[in-house]
Amino acid sequence: MHTIARMKRVTSKDVARALGVSQSTVSRAFSADARIPEETRERILKSAQALGYTPNELARGLLKSKSNIVGVVMADMLNPFYPNVLDIMSRRLHAIGKRMLLFSVPNDTDVDEVLPFLLQYNVEGVIITSATLSSKMADVFRNHNTRVVLFNRAVYDRSVSSVCCENHDASGNVARLLIEAGHRRFAIIGGKPDTSTHIERSGGFQRELRRAGLSLQAEEFGGNTYEGGFRTAMLLLEGKNPPDAIFCISDVMAIGALEAARRVLGLRVPDDVSIVGFDDIPSAAWPSYGLTTVRQPVEMMVSQAFSLLSDDVANASAAPVAVRIPGELVVRGSARLDPAGKKTRTVR
Amino acid sequence: MHTIARMKRVTSKDVARALGVSQSTVSRAFSADARIPEETRERILKSAQALGYTPNELARGLLKSKSNIVGVVMADMLNPFYPNVLDIMSRRLHAIGKRMLLFSVPNDTDVDEVLPFLLQYNVEGVIITSATLSSKMADVFRNHNTRVVLFNRAVYDRSVSSVCCENHDASGNVARLLIEAGHRRFAIIGGKPDTSTHIERSGGFQRELRRAGLSLQAEEFGGNTYEGGFRTAMLLLEGKNPPDAIFCISDVMAIGALEAARRVLGLRVPDDVSIVGFDDIPSAAWPSYGLTTVRQPVEMMVSQAFSLLSDDVANASAAPVAVRIPGELVVRGSARLDPAGKKTRTVR
DNA sequence: TGATATAATGCATACGTATGCATAGAATTG
DNA sequence: CAATTCTATGCATACGTATGCATTATATCA
């Protein structure tokens, strides 16, 4: 047994004692900008390494009233769009020396319940995905001088910053694609009625319809789940006067709709009905689906979210910003491309 | 402007001052087992609420040398099996008053790099999913009196506890299913060769083959990604003497294999080739795939993992435990069921 | 009623770090 | 060489909480 059982944590004091220097000196060795000769620093770091010392972040955070923790609240983790988001966020945070405190909460709620817990850790900032907070809670965070950024959701009272895809434009492009393909009977499957993503995507889509002198035939909601998309598509396609083009606010619902149309109703996609999604989740690209969709530029969105958090030009009480990043239309086979139906691959 | 800008954190001292009591009393009001009359506690809690006071967890963690944070390290977050796992873990932790510090790391590496960061937060325990740690690092955690539990991966040197599905038995059941259906040319698509999941699933499958006097024809690796499954299936099915049954160690790969077989090679599944997966991810149930697979009992596995972390009967240096939970064979359409091929749904 | 046990609360301290201030020694200057 | 600046480091303190011990007020008992 060559490992020594060590029940006590190794502290900067231990390192100091081992080297015959003061605790302050050890501490300074770990802070990049401290006045300390390079040689001493190396000696200390080496000894620290040998003793297995790492600064206690709890103490550090307590003292500086700011931990290096960023809180992330995810309200829709089971949506396949988010694992990638989370993965990117986690790695990028780690790369800049920050940690992630994660909360997964029920789908599309407001997250006021969990936010106070974040304050208990003196978090450096908070990112909230697919959910909003009350403006009252936004005030609380402002008073605590803690930044909050909404990711993939926006509030219109300008109480917090947000980063979203250019939902309006992207959805307009979808509409144009479908109009040019000759579609006339449009339906939308939304997530939840009062979310910014729905409002914007539906709004952008409909605006483009109006410009072409057309209008929406139906708008139903599927709660951003596969099952919801499936069920809602059944409803629409089995109703009187079924749509010949369905724009789904998210890919999971689009895939559900696709399955309903093909597997249950025996419709051909896109010959009988075109289906378009939003997000570009991995399975959208699987051959069985070949979903035409809008790709959200996740990497860029995360970058923007982080810079909104760390932007030290303005302090936390500065006016919130709404960042919009263009989405990219990804054309696959689930939507017709031209009036005649030529040049169209049918995906079964 | 009726909100007062408050730059300083509200502390227990503030509450104490407001009520004319001592800081200790306030502190005790927040600790369930303190000797303090219920009436006083209520008065304090009410005032705390009014002032917006919440205990600082950093200070608490520092003092007690144990934060209420549990570290979670995910090595395969993009595998669709894990969002659900993460979601359940997050909610359950929150429900018992604990927080989650999340690290997403490159696929299937050992995670020694990130583990030291967890020690900096005096974490209560660590859960590592689909990855292992070195036994040296396991020692470090044992010396720090901090529990580590592997989730969906095991080590055989008994250096840490683990929670896994009963991979051997479940895979044996898959083999039996395929044998009884009349298959004779078996292939396995594994994830990575030296992972416990692969070893056990492949081992259990092959043991059952041997019992029937049969043997494996090929074993290739797809790295637990859709693309890997796709590519590997192409390789196997286009090779000389292609298999008529493929057991994929994970559903993502199985779906990739399915797509390769059907979309690219034009094979009928399961008529020409049976494909079975493992995990039961959401898309396995989608009609286009109808994947026969093994469902991992995630809820139960998470429960077990948590109880291994919190089990205070034994201390952290107690002998590690390997918990195994039976998996459930989910029969859908991607594998034949009987020699004649009757009673079999063909899923396209 | 006086002695003693009990309940409620306050005081002081420790957790591990960062940092302002003080100091001692070295280096620089006229 | 004395006076002065600079560099390296130590001392002391603060961050916000929990808790052992001491203290006071109240209840119990003979």
Side-chain angles (χ1 to χ4, degrees):
Chain A
M1 180 74 76
H2 59 294
T3 57
I4 291 142
R6 170 193 311 283
M7 287 298 114
K8 291 296 289 177
R9 198 174 206 294
V10 182
T11 76
S12 56
K13 219 169 273 178
D14 297 326
V15 179
R17 197 173 321 113
L19 263 67
V21 299
S22 75
Q23 180 269 329
S24 333
T25 304
V26 175
S27 170
R28 286 194 251 262
F30 280 86
S31 121
D33 57 325
R35 56 276 170 65
I36 192 180
E38 202 49 43
E39 176 220 11
T40 308
R41 162 168 292 138
E42 273 170 29
R43 202 163 48 98
I44 292 177
L45 291 183
K46 213 181 90 202
S47 169
Q49 168 96 23
L51 294 173
Y53 167 74
T54 358
N56 183 327
E57 289 291 344
L58 297 179
R60 210 196 269 245
L62 174 59
L63 182 56
K64 316 199 27 165
S65 303
K66 223 44 156 174
S67 66
N68 59 354
I69 299 178
V70 170
V72 174
V73 182
M74 293 215 125
D76 196 16
M77 171 123 45
L78 298 185
N79 183 332
F81 173 62
Y82 284 103
N84 186 35
V85 171
L86 193 56
D87 182 58
I88 293 174
M89 284 183 177
S90 169
R91 292 174 194 230
R92 294 263 276 274
L93 281 177
H94 190 69
I96 57 176
K98 314 226 170 292
R99 314 294 158 226
M100 178 194 286
L101 207 58
L102 177 71
F103 294 78
S104 179
V105 303
N107 186 7
D108 261 317
T109 53
D110 79 49
V111 297
D112 283 20
E113 313 287 311
V114 301
L115 289 177
F117 293 103
L118 287 167
L119 257 10
Q120 300 187 309
Y121 294 87
N122 289 358
V123 292
E124 257 192 29
V126 178
I127 296 183
I128 300 176
T129 71
S130 51
T132 56
L133 35 40
S134 67
S135 58
K136 206 183 94 202
M137 197 49 87
D139 284 345
V140 171
F141 275 80
R142 195 171 317 109
N143 290 343
H144 278 258
N145 210 37
T146 302
R147 292 272 183 66
V148 177
V149 174
L150 301 185
F151 187 95
N152 206 19
R153 196 109 334 169
V155 292
Y156 303 118
D157 59 3
R158 292 257 161 190
S159 56
V160 290
S161 292
S162 59
V163 178
C164 289
C165 181
E166 256 297 0
N167 289 315
H168 256 98
D169 293 2
S171 304
N173 291 341
V174 171
R176 216 168 311 122
L177 183 85
L178 293 171
I179 294 169
E180 285 167 8
H183 289 292
R184 289 301 175 265
R185 303 199 310 280
F186 304 94
I188 286 181
I189 300 183
K192 304 233 171 175
D194 49 356
T195 60
S196 66
T197 26
H198 173 73
I199 294 168
E200 293 168 11
R201 291 175 194 174
S202 177
F205 188 84
Q206 293 192 56
R207 185 180 58 186
E208 209 58 30
L209 290 187
R210 277 195 303 278
R211 283 190 183 152
L214 301 166
S215 71
L216 200 63
Q217 212 165 54
E219 178 167 82
E220 298 291 341
F221 296 91
N224 283 317
T225 65
Y226 169 90
E227 290 76 15
F230 188 99
R231 193 172 2 90
T232 311
M234 291 292 292
L235 213 76
L236 289 169
L237 293 170
E238 287 194 311
K240 71 233 159 311
N241 203 13
D244 64 356
I246 303 180
F247 175 38
C248 301
I249 243 58
S250 64
D251 281 355
V252 240
M253 292 197 300
I255 288 177
L258 209 48
E259 294 280 29
R262 283 206 301 233
R263 301 285 157 197
V264 181
L265 303 175
L267 299 173
R268 288 167 310 156
V269 177
D271 307 69
D272 299 325
V273 57
S274 280
I275 295 178
V276 179
F278 207 110
D279 288 343
D280 197 29
I281 62 176
S283 38
W286 294 351
S288 291
Y289 301 118
L291 195 64
T292 292
T293 189
V294 176
R295 175 175 303 151
Q296 296 215 58
V298 178
E299 291 271 1
M300 232 176 299
M301 289 168 68
V302 172
S303 296
Q304 291 293 325
F306 284 5
S307 71
L308 284 181
L309 281 188
S310 62
D311 218 358
D312 42 17
V313 176
N315 61 37
S317 46
V321 187
V323 174
R324 297 295 172 147
I325 305 178
E328 179 192 352
L329 190 61
V330 179
V331 176
R332 298 199 181 94
S334 71
R336 288 216 306 270
L337 284 184
D338 60 320
K342 295 170 208 149
K343 297 192 309 184
T344 296
R345 284 186 309 129
T346 297
V347 178
R348 256 191 238 111
Chain B
M1 180 75 76
H2 59 293
T3 58
I4 292 142
R6 170 193 312 281
M7 287 297 114
K8 290 296 288 179
R9 195 174 209 295
V10 182
T11 74
S12 56
K13 219 169 276 177
D14 296 328
V15 179
R17 198 174 321 115
L19 264 66
V21 299
S22 75
Q23 179 269 330
S24 334
T25 305
V26 175
S27 170
R28 287 193 249 262
F30 280 85
S31 124
D33 57 324
R35 55 274 171 67
I36 191 178
E38 203 49 43
E39 176 218 9
T40 308
R41 162 168 292 138
E42 272 170 28
R43 202 162 48 98
I44 292 177
L45 291 183
K46 213 181 89 201
S47 168
Q49 168 95 21
L51 294 173
Y53 167 73
T54 359
N56 184 328
E57 289 292 343
L58 298 179
R60 209 195 269 245
L62 174 60
L63 182 57
K64 316 200 25 165
S65 306
K66 223 41 154 179
S67 66
N68 60 353
I69 299 177
V70 170
V72 174
V73 183
M74 293 217 125
D76 198 14
M77 171 123 46
L78 298 184
N79 183 332
F81 174 62
Y82 284 103
N84 185 36
V85 171
L86 193 55
D87 182 58
I88 292 174
M89 285 184 177
S90 170
R91 291 173 195 230
R92 294 263 276 272
L93 281 177
H94 190 68
I96 57 176
K98 314 226 171 287
R99 314 297 159 224
M100 178 194 286
L101 206 58
L102 177 71
F103 293 77
S104 178
V105 303
N107 185 8
D108 261 319
T109 52
D110 79 49
V111 296
D112 283 20
E113 314 286 311
V114 301
L115 290 178
F117 292 104
L118 287 168
L119 258 8
Q120 300 187 310
Y121 293 88
N122 290 357
V123 292
E124 257 193 29
V126 178
I127 295 183
I128 301 176
T129 70
S130 52
T132 56
L133 36 38
S134 65
S135 57
K136 207 183 92 202
M137 196 51 86
D139 285 345
V140 171
F141 276 80
R142 194 168 320 110
N143 290 342
H144 278 258
N145 210 37
T146 301
R147 293 270 181 69
V148 177
V149 174
L150 301 186
F151 186 95
N152 206 19
R153 196 108 337 167
V155 292
Y156 303 117
D157 59 4
R158 291 257 160 189
S159 56
V160 290
S161 291
S162 59
V163 178
C164 289
C165 181
E166 257 295 2
N167 289 315
H168 255 98
D169 293 1
S171 304
N173 291 341
V174 171
R176 216 167 312 122
L177 182 85
L178 293 171
I179 294 169
E180 285 167 8
H183 289 292
R184 288 301 174 266
R185 303 198 310 280
F186 304 94
I188 286 181
I189 300 184
K192 305 231 171 177
D194 48 357
T195 59
S196 67
T197 25
H198 173 73
I199 294 168
E200 293 167 12
R201 291 174 195 174
S202 177
F205 189 85
Q206 293 192 56
R207 185 181 57 188
E208 209 59 31
L209 291 188
R210 275 194 305 277
R211 282 190 183 152
L214 300 166
S215 71
L216 199 64
Q217 214 166 54
E219 177 166 82
E220 298 291 339
F221 296 91
N224 282 318
T225 65
Y226 170 89
E227 291 75 15
F230 189 98
R231 192 173 2 89
T232 311
M234 290 293 292
L235 212 77
L236 289 169
L237 293 169
E238 287 194 310
K240 71 237 157 312
N241 202 14
D244 63 357
I246 304 181
F247 176 38
C248 301
I249 243 56
S250 64
D251 281 354
V252 240
M253 293 197 299
I255 288 177
L258 210 48
E259 293 281 28
R262 284 205 299 232
R263 302 287 156 196
V264 181
L265 301 176
L267 298 173
R268 287 168 308 159
V269 176
D271 309 69
D272 298 324
V273 58
S274 280
I275 295 179
V276 179
F278 207 108
D279 288 343
D280 197 29
I281 62 176
S283 38
W286 294 350
S288 291
Y289 301 120
L291 195 64
T292 291
T293 187
V294 176
R295 176 174 304 152
Q296 296 214 59
V298 178
E299 292 272 0
M300 232 178 298
M301 288 168 69
V302 172
S303 296
Q304 289 294 324
F306 284 4
S307 71
L308 285 182
L309 280 189
S310 61
D311 216 357
D312 41 16
V313 176
N315 61 35
S317 47
V321 186
V323 174
R324 296 295 172 149
I325 305 178
E328 177 193 352
L329 190 60
V330 178
V331 177
R332 299 200 181 92
S334 71
R336 287 216 308 269
L337 285 185
D338 62 318
K342 295 171 208 148
K343 296 193 305 183
T344 296
R345 285 186 307 128
T346 297
V347 178
R348 255 191 237 113

